[in-house]
Amino acid sequence: QVQLVESGGGLVQPGESLRLSCAASGFTFSDYGMHWVRQAPGKELECVSAISRGGEFTYYANSVKGRFTISRDNAKNTLYLQLSGLKTEDTAAYYCAKSLNTVYVPCVYNSRGQGTQVTVSS
């Protein structure tokens, strides 16, 4: 079955950086677009970034554009999210998610992992 395992979260100060990883298994990773979504306490899920199966197309929410970078390594079945210039409002649980099907549409996904917590605080 689909398994997505996120890692790399932590407690950082404003302005610092983190790199999140998502190890995927149980499906042909290179056939699917992938997504990063986040959920802050008391708020709804927000799709922050997406990438097509070959990496040619990427999407970023306005709230993270210019600060976050999504990438993938299909040989390693791994998705990444580089978070730079972190702000307190970036504090959230971050989840990777698999596209609903093999047609890439940003932020249309089904399965997601258990998440990794990112806390930005001074």
PDB file of all heavy atoms in Angstrom, residues 52-86:
ATOM      1  N   SER A  52       5.374  18.123 -10.670  1.00  0.00           N
ATOM      2  CA  SER A  52       4.956  17.089 -11.612  1.00  0.00           C
ATOM      3  C   SER A  52       5.878  15.882 -11.495  1.00  0.00           C
ATOM      4  O   SER A  52       6.934  15.934 -10.874  1.00  0.00           O
ATOM      5  CB  SER A  52       4.973  17.641 -13.030  1.00  0.00           C
ATOM      6  OG  SER A  52       6.276  18.100 -13.378  1.00  0.00           O
ATOM      7  N   ARG A  53       5.485  14.801 -12.146  1.00  0.00           N
ATOM      8  CA  ARG A  53       6.200  13.549 -11.927  1.00  0.00           C
ATOM      9  C   ARG A  53       7.648  13.611 -12.381  1.00  0.00           C
ATOM     10  O   ARG A  53       8.510  12.972 -11.783  1.00  0.00           O
ATOM     11  CB  ARG A  53       5.477  12.391 -12.587  1.00  0.00           C
ATOM     12  CG  ARG A  53       5.231  12.558 -14.063  1.00  0.00           C
ATOM     13  CD  ARG A  53       4.341  11.422 -14.553  1.00  0.00           C
ATOM     14  NE  ARG A  53       4.059  11.489 -15.980  1.00  0.00           N
ATOM     15  CZ  ARG A  53       3.309  10.616 -16.618  1.00  0.00           C
ATOM     16  NH1 ARG A  53       2.766   9.609 -15.972  1.00  0.00           N
ATOM     17  NH2 ARG A  53       3.091  10.743 -17.900  1.00  0.00           N
ATOM     18  N   GLY A  54       7.944  14.378 -13.425  1.00  0.00           N
ATOM     19  CA  GLY A  54       9.320  14.513 -13.879  1.00  0.00           C
ATOM     20  C   GLY A  54      10.021  15.734 -13.317  1.00  0.00           C
ATOM     21  O   GLY A  54      11.203  15.959 -13.583  1.00  0.00           O
ATOM     22  N   GLY A  55       9.305  16.547 -12.564  1.00  0.00           N
ATOM     23  CA  GLY A  55       9.886  17.738 -11.961  1.00  0.00           C
ATOM     24  C   GLY A  55       9.850  18.981 -12.839  1.00  0.00           C
ATOM     25  O   GLY A  55      10.348  20.036 -12.452  1.00  0.00           O
ATOM     26  N   GLU A  56       9.241  18.865 -14.048  1.00  0.00           N
ATOM     27  CA  GLU A  56       9.257  20.008 -14.976  1.00  0.00           C
ATOM     28  C   GLU A  56       8.353  21.147 -14.514  1.00  0.00           C
ATOM     29  O   GLU A  56       8.601  22.314 -14.827  1.00  0.00           O
ATOM     30  CB  GLU A  56       8.791  19.591 -16.386  1.00  0.00           C
ATOM     31  CG  GLU A  56       9.417  18.329 -16.940  1.00  0.00           C
ATOM     32  CD  GLU A  56       8.605  17.076 -16.624  1.00  0.00           C
ATOM     33  OE1 GLU A  56       8.018  16.985 -15.515  1.00  0.00           O
ATOM     34  OE2 GLU A  56       8.554  16.200 -17.481  1.00  0.00           O
ATOM     35  N   PHE A  57       7.303  20.807 -13.821  1.00  0.00           N
ATOM     36  CA  PHE A  57       6.322  21.808 -13.417  1.00  0.00           C
ATOM     37  C   PHE A  57       6.239  21.850 -11.902  1.00  0.00           C
ATOM     38  O   PHE A  57       6.187  20.808 -11.247  1.00  0.00           O
ATOM     39  CB  PHE A  57       4.945  21.486 -14.001  1.00  0.00           C
ATOM     40  CG  PHE A  57       4.932  21.372 -15.493  1.00  0.00           C
ATOM     41  CD1 PHE A  57       4.855  20.127 -16.105  1.00  0.00           C
ATOM     42  CD2 PHE A  57       5.019  22.507 -16.286  1.00  0.00           C
ATOM     43  CE1 PHE A  57       4.853  20.021 -17.481  1.00  0.00           C
ATOM     44  CE2 PHE A  57       5.024  22.407 -17.664  1.00  0.00           C
ATOM     45  CZ  PHE A  57       4.950  21.169 -18.269  1.00  0.00           C
ATOM     46  N   THR A  58       6.237  23.054 -11.368  1.00  0.00           N
ATOM     47  CA  THR A  58       6.095  23.228  -9.926  1.00  0.00           C
ATOM     48  C   THR A  58       5.040  24.291  -9.627  1.00  0.00           C
ATOM     49  O   THR A  58       4.742  25.146 -10.471  1.00  0.00           O
ATOM     50  CB  THR A  58       7.421  23.639  -9.267  1.00  0.00           C
ATOM     51  OG1 THR A  58       7.895  24.852  -9.883  1.00  0.00           O
ATOM     52  CG2 THR A  58       8.473  22.558  -9.399  1.00  0.00           C
ATOM     53  N   TYR A  59       4.504  24.186  -8.436  1.00  0.00           N
ATOM     54  CA  TYR A  59       3.496  25.141  -7.969  1.00  0.00           C
ATOM     55  C   TYR A  59       3.873  25.566  -6.554  1.00  0.00           C
ATOM     56  O   TYR A  59       4.345  24.734  -5.763  1.00  0.00           O
ATOM     57  CB  TYR A  59       2.124  24.478  -7.949  1.00  0.00           C
ATOM     58  CG  TYR A  59       1.130  25.196  -7.059  1.00  0.00           C
ATOM     59  CD1 TYR A  59       0.427  26.293  -7.526  1.00  0.00           C
ATOM     60  CD2 TYR A  59       0.956  24.795  -5.733  1.00  0.00           C
ATOM     61  CE1 TYR A  59      -0.448  26.964  -6.685  1.00  0.00           C
ATOM     62  CE2 TYR A  59       0.089  25.457  -4.892  1.00  0.00           C
ATOM     63  CZ  TYR A  59      -0.612  26.540  -5.373  1.00  0.00           C
ATOM     64  OH  TYR A  59      -1.466  27.209  -4.543  1.00  0.00           O
ATOM     65  N   TYR A  60       3.653  26.847  -6.251  1.00  0.00           N
ATOM     66  CA  TYR A  60       3.861  27.345  -4.891  1.00  0.00           C
ATOM     67  C   TYR A  60       2.694  28.249  -4.504  1.00  0.00           C
ATOM     68  O   TYR A  60       2.257  29.083  -5.296  1.00  0.00           O
ATOM     69  CB  TYR A  60       5.154  28.144  -4.790  1.00  0.00           C
ATOM     70  CG  TYR A  60       6.394  27.323  -5.076  1.00  0.00           C
ATOM     71  CD1 TYR A  60       6.982  27.322  -6.328  1.00  0.00           C
ATOM     72  CD2 TYR A  60       6.963  26.539  -4.074  1.00  0.00           C
ATOM     73  CE1 TYR A  60       8.107  26.558  -6.597  1.00  0.00           C
ATOM     74  CE2 TYR A  60       8.095  25.774  -4.331  1.00  0.00           C
ATOM     75  CZ  TYR A  60       8.657  25.790  -5.592  1.00  0.00           C
ATOM     76  OH  TYR A  60       9.769  25.030  -5.849  1.00  0.00           O
ATOM     77  N   ALA A  61       2.231  28.086  -3.299  1.00  0.00           N
ATOM     78  CA  ALA A  61       1.258  29.033  -2.768  1.00  0.00           C
ATOM     79  C   ALA A  61       1.922  30.394  -2.610  1.00  0.00           C
ATOM     80  O   ALA A  61       3.135  30.492  -2.385  1.00  0.00           O
ATOM     81  CB  ALA A  61       0.748  28.537  -1.416  1.00  0.00           C
ATOM     82  N   ASN A  62       1.140  31.448  -2.724  1.00  0.00           N
ATOM     83  CA  ASN A  62       1.687  32.801  -2.593  1.00  0.00           C
ATOM     84  C   ASN A  62       2.390  32.998  -1.254  1.00  0.00           C
ATOM     85  O   ASN A  62       3.365  33.742  -1.165  1.00  0.00           O
ATOM     86  CB  ASN A  62       0.577  33.833  -2.756  1.00  0.00           C
ATOM     87  CG  ASN A  62       0.124  33.957  -4.195  1.00  0.00           C
ATOM     88  OD1 ASN A  62       0.866  33.648  -5.129  1.00  0.00           O
ATOM     89  ND2 ASN A  62      -1.107  34.395  -4.386  1.00  0.00           N
ATOM     90  N   SER A  63       1.905  32.321  -0.240  1.00  0.00           N
ATOM     91  CA  SER A  63       2.446  32.500   1.103  1.00  0.00           C
ATOM     92  C   SER A  63       3.880  31.988   1.235  1.00  0.00           C
ATOM     93  O   SER A  63       4.590  32.371   2.171  1.00  0.00           O
ATOM     94  CB  SER A  63       1.556  31.790   2.132  1.00  0.00           C
ATOM     95  OG  SER A  63       1.418  30.419   1.806  1.00  0.00           O
ATOM     96  N   VAL A  64       4.322  31.128   0.305  1.00  0.00           N
ATOM     97  CA  VAL A  64       5.671  30.550   0.426  1.00  0.00           C
ATOM     98  C   VAL A  64       6.531  30.821  -0.806  1.00  0.00           C
ATOM     99  O   VAL A  64       7.713  30.486  -0.814  1.00  0.00           O
ATOM    100  CB  VAL A  64       5.605  29.032   0.684  1.00  0.00           C
ATOM    101  CG1 VAL A  64       4.716  28.730   1.882  1.00  0.00           C
ATOM    102  CG2 VAL A  64       5.137  28.263  -0.545  1.00  0.00           C
ATOM    103  N   LYS A  65       5.955  31.431  -1.824  1.00  0.00           N
ATOM    104  CA  LYS A  65       6.678  31.652  -3.074  1.00  0.00           C
ATOM    105  C   LYS A  65       7.938  32.472  -2.812  1.00  0.00           C
ATOM    106  O   LYS A  65       7.907  33.484  -2.110  1.00  0.00           O
ATOM    107  CB  LYS A  65       5.767  32.361  -4.067  1.00  0.00           C
ATOM    108  CG  LYS A  65       6.164  32.218  -5.517  1.00  0.00           C
ATOM    109  CD  LYS A  65       5.091  32.773  -6.436  1.00  0.00           C
ATOM    110  CE  LYS A  65       3.843  31.933  -6.419  1.00  0.00           C
ATOM    111  NZ  LYS A  65       2.814  32.416  -7.374  1.00  0.00           N
ATOM    112  N   GLY A  66       9.049  32.007  -3.379  1.00  0.00           N
ATOM    113  CA  GLY A  66      10.320  32.688  -3.206  1.00  0.00           C
ATOM    114  C   GLY A  66      11.088  32.254  -1.969  1.00  0.00           C
ATOM    115  O   GLY A  66      12.263  32.615  -1.807  1.00  0.00           O
ATOM    116  N   ARG A  67      10.450  31.480  -1.097  1.00  0.00           N
ATOM    117  CA  ARG A  67      11.118  31.021   0.126  1.00  0.00           C
ATOM    118  C   ARG A  67      11.240  29.500   0.186  1.00  0.00           C
ATOM    119  O   ARG A  67      12.183  28.988   0.783  1.00  0.00           O
ATOM    120  CB  ARG A  67      10.347  31.508   1.362  1.00  0.00           C
ATOM    121  CG  ARG A  67      10.238  33.020   1.462  1.00  0.00           C
ATOM    122  CD  ARG A  67       9.615  33.447   2.792  1.00  0.00           C
ATOM    123  NE  ARG A  67       8.254  32.941   2.954  1.00  0.00           N
ATOM    124  CZ  ARG A  67       7.864  32.123   3.939  1.00  0.00           C
ATOM    125  NH1 ARG A  67       8.746  31.712   4.840  1.00  0.00           N
ATOM    126  NH2 ARG A  67       6.596  31.718   4.029  1.00  0.00           N
ATOM    127  N   PHE A  68      10.300  28.789  -0.389  1.00  0.00           N
ATOM    128  CA  PHE A  68      10.302  27.326  -0.362  1.00  0.00           C
ATOM    129  C   PHE A  68      10.650  26.808  -1.761  1.00  0.00           C
ATOM    130  O   PHE A  68      10.262  27.412  -2.769  1.00  0.00           O
ATOM    131  CB  PHE A  68       8.945  26.775   0.044  1.00  0.00           C
ATOM    132  CG  PHE A  68       8.547  27.005   1.474  1.00  0.00           C
ATOM    133  CD1 PHE A  68       9.285  27.824   2.326  1.00  0.00           C
ATOM    134  CD2 PHE A  68       7.405  26.402   1.987  1.00  0.00           C
ATOM    135  CE1 PHE A  68       8.911  28.033   3.642  1.00  0.00           C
ATOM    136  CE2 PHE A  68       7.013  26.595   3.299  1.00  0.00           C
ATOM    137  CZ  PHE A  68       7.776  27.416   4.111  1.00  0.00           C
ATOM    138  N   THR A  69      11.334  25.673  -1.806  1.00  0.00           N
ATOM    139  CA  THR A  69      11.670  25.040  -3.074  1.00  0.00           C
ATOM    140  C   THR A  69      11.359  23.557  -2.989  1.00  0.00           C
ATOM    141  O   THR A  69      11.876  22.856  -2.100  1.00  0.00           O
ATOM    142  CB  THR A  69      13.153  25.233  -3.418  1.00  0.00           C
ATOM    143  OG1 THR A  69      13.463  26.625  -3.448  1.00  0.00           O
ATOM    144  CG2 THR A  69      13.472  24.619  -4.784  1.00  0.00           C
ATOM    145  N   ILE A  70      10.536  23.079  -3.921  1.00  0.00           N
ATOM    146  CA  ILE A  70      10.189  21.668  -3.972  1.00  0.00           C
ATOM    147  C   ILE A  70      11.083  20.977  -4.991  1.00  0.00           C
ATOM    148  O   ILE A  70      11.447  21.555  -6.019  1.00  0.00           O
ATOM    149  CB  ILE A  70       8.693  21.470  -4.316  1.00  0.00           C
ATOM    150  CG1 ILE A  70       8.263  20.024  -4.098  1.00  0.00           C
ATOM    151  CG2 ILE A  70       8.389  21.960  -5.733  1.00  0.00           C
ATOM    152  CD1 ILE A  70       6.749  19.825  -4.211  1.00  0.00           C
ATOM    153  N   SER A  71      11.446  19.741  -4.708  1.00  0.00           N
ATOM    154  CA  SER A  71      12.232  18.948  -5.651  1.00  0.00           C
ATOM    155  C   SER A  71      11.963  17.475  -5.379  1.00  0.00           C
ATOM    156  O   SER A  71      11.334  17.120  -4.374  1.00  0.00           O
ATOM    157  CB  SER A  71      13.721  19.262  -5.526  1.00  0.00           C
ATOM    158  OG  SER A  71      14.202  18.940  -4.236  1.00  0.00           O
ATOM    159  N   ARG A  72      12.445  16.646  -6.276  1.00  0.00           N
ATOM    160  CA  ARG A  72      12.245  15.209  -6.112  1.00  0.00           C
ATOM    161  C   ARG A  72      13.417  14.467  -6.733  1.00  0.00           C
ATOM    162  O   ARG A  72      14.058  14.956  -7.662  1.00  0.00           O
ATOM    163  CB  ARG A  72      10.937  14.764  -6.735  1.00  0.00           C
ATOM    164  CG  ARG A  72      10.850  14.949  -8.239  1.00  0.00           C
ATOM    165  CD  ARG A  72       9.423  14.701  -8.741  1.00  0.00           C
ATOM    166  NE  ARG A  72       8.987  13.327  -8.523  1.00  0.00           N
ATOM    167  CZ  ARG A  72       7.721  12.946  -8.544  1.00  0.00           C
ATOM    168  NH1 ARG A  72       6.757  13.829  -8.773  1.00  0.00           N
ATOM    169  NH2 ARG A  72       7.404  11.672  -8.347  1.00  0.00           N
ATOM    170  N   ASP A  73      13.662  13.264  -6.210  1.00  0.00           N
ATOM    171  CA  ASP A  73      14.671  12.374  -6.759  1.00  0.00           C
ATOM    172  C   ASP A  73      13.963  11.057  -7.049  1.00  0.00           C
ATOM    173  O   ASP A  73      13.713  10.264  -6.131  1.00  0.00           O
ATOM    174  CB  ASP A  73      15.814  12.186  -5.763  1.00  0.00           C
ATOM    175  CG  ASP A  73      16.953  11.369  -6.330  1.00  0.00           C
ATOM    176  OD1 ASP A  73      16.723  10.569  -7.273  1.00  0.00           O
ATOM    177  OD2 ASP A  73      18.078  11.504  -5.834  1.00  0.00           O
ATOM    178  N   ASN A  74      13.612  10.840  -8.302  1.00  0.00           N
ATOM    179  CA  ASN A  74      12.846   9.644  -8.647  1.00  0.00           C
ATOM    180  C   ASN A  74      13.663   8.364  -8.470  1.00  0.00           C
ATOM    181  O   ASN A  74      13.094   7.290  -8.250  1.00  0.00           O
ATOM    182  CB  ASN A  74      12.308   9.753 -10.068  1.00  0.00           C
ATOM    183  CG  ASN A  74      11.151  10.735 -10.171  1.00  0.00           C
ATOM    184  OD1 ASN A  74      10.548  11.133  -9.166  1.00  0.00           O
ATOM    185  ND2 ASN A  74      10.842  11.162 -11.389  1.00  0.00           N
ATOM    186  N   ALA A  75      14.969   8.470  -8.571  1.00  0.00           N
ATOM    187  CA  ALA A  75      15.808   7.291  -8.358  1.00  0.00           C
ATOM    188  C   ALA A  75      15.780   6.840  -6.902  1.00  0.00           C
ATOM    189  O   ALA A  75      15.974   5.658  -6.607  1.00  0.00           O
ATOM    190  CB  ALA A  75      17.242   7.580  -8.787  1.00  0.00           C
ATOM    191  N   LYS A  76      15.527   7.789  -6.000  1.00  0.00           N
ATOM    192  CA  LYS A  76      15.491   7.477  -4.567  1.00  0.00           C
ATOM    193  C   LYS A  76      14.070   7.446  -4.007  1.00  0.00           C
ATOM    194  O   LYS A  76      13.886   7.276  -2.798  1.00  0.00           O
ATOM    195  CB  LYS A  76      16.313   8.507  -3.791  1.00  0.00           C
ATOM    196  CG  LYS A  76      17.797   8.482  -4.115  1.00  0.00           C
ATOM    197  CD  LYS A  76      18.557   9.485  -3.257  1.00  0.00           C
ATOM    198  CE  LYS A  76      20.055   9.424  -3.548  1.00  0.00           C
ATOM    199  NZ  LYS A  76      20.806  10.416  -2.743  1.00  0.00           N
ATOM    200  N   ASN A  77      13.068   7.647  -4.866  1.00  0.00           N
ATOM    201  CA  ASN A  77      11.670   7.684  -4.418  1.00  0.00           C
ATOM    202  C   ASN A  77      11.476   8.667  -3.266  1.00  0.00           C
ATOM    203  O   ASN A  77      10.796   8.372  -2.265  1.00  0.00           O
ATOM    204  CB  ASN A  77      11.199   6.289  -3.979  1.00  0.00           C
ATOM    205  CG  ASN A  77      11.028   5.343  -5.154  1.00  0.00           C
ATOM    206  OD1 ASN A  77      11.108   5.735  -6.310  1.00  0.00           O
ATOM    207  ND2 ASN A  77      10.806   4.076  -4.849  1.00  0.00           N
ATOM    208  N   THR A  78      12.063   9.829  -3.420  1.00  0.00           N
ATOM    209  CA  THR A  78      12.052  10.806  -2.331  1.00  0.00           C
ATOM    210  C   THR A  78      11.653  12.188  -2.833  1.00  0.00           C
ATOM    211  O   THR A  78      12.108  12.637  -3.884  1.00  0.00           O
ATOM    212  CB  THR A  78      13.423  10.868  -1.643  1.00  0.00           C
ATOM    213  OG1 THR A  78      13.776   9.565  -1.166  1.00  0.00           O
ATOM    214  CG2 THR A  78      13.387  11.821  -0.451  1.00  0.00           C
ATOM    215  N   LEU A  79      10.819  12.826  -2.053  1.00  0.00           N
ATOM    216  CA  LEU A  79      10.358  14.196  -2.300  1.00  0.00           C
ATOM    217  C   LEU A  79      10.991  15.101  -1.253  1.00  0.00           C
ATOM    218  O   LEU A  79      11.164  14.693  -0.096  1.00  0.00           O
ATOM    219  CB  LEU A  79       8.837  14.246  -2.177  1.00  0.00           C
ATOM    220  CG  LEU A  79       8.148  15.596  -2.319  1.00  0.00           C
ATOM    221  CD1 LEU A  79       8.195  16.059  -3.780  1.00  0.00           C
ATOM    222  CD2 LEU A  79       6.709  15.495  -1.833  1.00  0.00           C
ATOM    223  N   TYR A  80      11.318  16.327  -1.657  1.00  0.00           N
ATOM    224  CA  TYR A  80      11.954  17.271  -0.740  1.00  0.00           C
ATOM    225  C   TYR A  80      11.200  18.595  -0.732  1.00  0.00           C
ATOM    226  O   TYR A  80      10.526  18.964  -1.699  1.00  0.00           O
ATOM    227  CB  TYR A  80      13.398  17.542  -1.166  1.00  0.00           C
ATOM    228  CG  TYR A  80      14.264  16.322  -1.256  1.00  0.00           C
ATOM    229  CD1 TYR A  80      14.529  15.721  -2.480  1.00  0.00           C
ATOM    230  CD2 TYR A  80      14.818  15.759  -0.114  1.00  0.00           C
ATOM    231  CE1 TYR A  80      15.329  14.597  -2.574  1.00  0.00           C
ATOM    232  CE2 TYR A  80      15.623  14.621  -0.194  1.00  0.00           C
ATOM    233  CZ  TYR A  80      15.866  14.056  -1.425  1.00  0.00           C
ATOM    234  OH  TYR A  80      16.660  12.934  -1.507  1.00  0.00           O
ATOM    235  N   LEU A  81      11.362  19.315   0.362  1.00  0.00           N
ATOM    236  CA  LEU A  81      10.909  20.701   0.432  1.00  0.00           C
ATOM    237  C   LEU A  81      11.947  21.486   1.221  1.00  0.00           C
ATOM    238  O   LEU A  81      12.165  21.221   2.411  1.00  0.00           O
ATOM    239  CB  LEU A  81       9.544  20.823   1.091  1.00  0.00           C
ATOM    240  CG  LEU A  81       8.932  22.227   1.042  1.00  0.00           C
ATOM    241  CD1 LEU A  81       8.583  22.598  -0.410  1.00  0.00           C
ATOM    242  CD2 LEU A  81       7.684  22.315   1.916  1.00  0.00           C
ATOM    243  N   GLN A  82      12.622  22.389   0.531  1.00  0.00           N
ATOM    244  CA  GLN A  82      13.584  23.278   1.181  1.00  0.00           C
ATOM    245  C   GLN A  82      12.843  24.510   1.670  1.00  0.00           C
ATOM    246  O   GLN A  82      12.219  25.216   0.869  1.00  0.00           O
ATOM    247  CB  GLN A  82      14.688  23.676   0.192  1.00  0.00           C
ATOM    248  CG  GLN A  82      15.718  24.629   0.758  1.00  0.00           C
ATOM    249  CD  GLN A  82      16.620  23.967   1.780  1.00  0.00           C
ATOM    250  OE1 GLN A  82      17.036  22.823   1.613  1.00  0.00           O
ATOM    251  NE2 GLN A  82      16.931  24.693   2.854  1.00  0.00           N
ATOM    252  N   LEU A  83      12.898  24.741   2.968  1.00  0.00           N
ATOM    253  CA  LEU A  83      12.225  25.881   3.575  1.00  0.00           C
ATOM    254  C   LEU A  83      13.293  26.894   3.985  1.00  0.00           C
ATOM    255  O   LEU A  83      14.175  26.577   4.782  1.00  0.00           O
ATOM    256  CB  LEU A  83      11.457  25.459   4.822  1.00  0.00           C
ATOM    257  CG  LEU A  83      10.188  24.610   4.682  1.00  0.00           C
ATOM    258  CD1 LEU A  83      10.471  23.233   4.128  1.00  0.00           C
ATOM    259  CD2 LEU A  83       9.492  24.486   6.028  1.00  0.00           C
ATOM    260  N   SER A  84      13.220  28.086   3.431  1.00  0.00           N
ATOM    261  CA  SER A  84      14.181  29.130   3.760  1.00  0.00           C
ATOM    262  C   SER A  84      13.417  30.369   4.228  1.00  0.00           C
ATOM    263  O   SER A  84      12.233  30.520   3.941  1.00  0.00           O
ATOM    264  CB  SER A  84      15.035  29.471   2.539  1.00  0.00           C
ATOM    265  OG  SER A  84      15.692  28.329   2.055  1.00  0.00           O
ATOM    266  N   GLY A  85      14.128  31.256   4.913  1.00  0.00           N
ATOM    267  CA  GLY A  85      13.485  32.479   5.380  1.00  0.00           C
ATOM    268  C   GLY A  85      12.234  32.203   6.182  1.00  0.00           C
ATOM    269  O   GLY A  85      11.205  32.868   6.019  1.00  0.00           O
ATOM    270  N   LEU A  86      12.326  31.237   7.087  1.00  0.00           N
ATOM    271  CA  LEU A  86      11.132  30.802   7.803  1.00  0.00           C
ATOM    272  C   LEU A  86      10.558  31.912   8.679  1.00  0.00           C
ATOM    273  O   LEU A  86      11.296  32.721   9.269  1.00  0.00           O
ATOM    274  CB  LEU A  86      11.437  29.566   8.641  1.00  0.00           C
ATOM    275  CG  LEU A  86      11.470  28.268   7.816  1.00  0.00           C
ATOM    276  CD1 LEU A  86      12.206  27.163   8.547  1.00  0.00           C
ATOM    277  CD2 LEU A  86      10.058  27.836   7.470  1.00  0.00           C
TER     278      LEU A  86
END
